[in-house]
Amino acid sequence: QVPLVESGGGLVQPGGSVTLSCVASGNIRQINYMTWHRQVPGKEREWVATVTTAGHFNYAESVSGRFTLSKVHANNTVYLTGINLKPADAGVYLCNAGGTYRNAQYFDLWGQGTQVTVSS
């Protein structure tokens, strides 16, 4: 069982929308945060958005107003929906989650990423 899996990427036309999902698996007691980053070849990894267990949502300025996070507590899933996508939004979107397992061990996991291409 892969501990953190992203999905939902693909080819999107400029101005279009996309919804990405990130699912955390395992004997999890609590997830403290789930974060999305994006990676473009030749550039530094860019933070996109974070949701915390306290229900705080934070977005990078570059996506604020266009991207929305939603978290489903029951199945440890977070969704990132982006609208009015721009070519600059393209990249590999990586999910990062941190929290504790039921045995009290902390975890900080990264997924393999899902590719979003914005092109006509």
Side-chain angles (χ1 to χ4, degrees):
Q1 191 178 34
V2 180
L4 201 66
V5 178
E6 306 98 330
S7 62
L11 176 63
V12 183
Q13 290 190 342
S17 62
V18 69
T19 296
L20 309 178
S21 66
C22 173
V23 182
S25 302
N27 203 11
I28 295 171
R29 179 168 68 183
Q30 177 172 294
I31 293 179
N32 295 329
Y33 58 86
M34 295 186 85
T35 297
W36 285 96
H37 301 253
R38 63 188 176 202
Q39 181 76 62
V40 177
K43 294 186 177 181
E44 290 189 2
R45 184 173 294 177
E46 177 188 11
W47 168 72
V48 175
T50 297
V51 57
T52 68
T53 191
H56 298 136
F57 295 83
N58 291 289
Y59 301 92
E61 186 174 347
S62 60
V63 304
S64 182
R66 299 186 298 117
F67 283 34
T68 303
L69 278 170
S70 58
K71 185 173 181 292
V72 180
H73 294 272
N75 57 6
N76 296 323
T77 300
V78 66
Y79 300 94
L80 180 68
T81 297
I83 63 172
N84 191 20
L85 263 64
K86 307 173 182 179
D89 293 318
V92 176
Y93 281 71
L94 298 145
C95 183
N96 166 234
T100 52
Y101 292 115
R102 294 192 184 280
N103 64 3
Q105 182 179 357
Y106 289 102
F107 65 85
D108 181 81
L109 302 171
W110 286 85
Q112 294 297 308
T114 184
Q115 175 74 48
V116 174
T117 302
V118 183
S119 175
S120 55

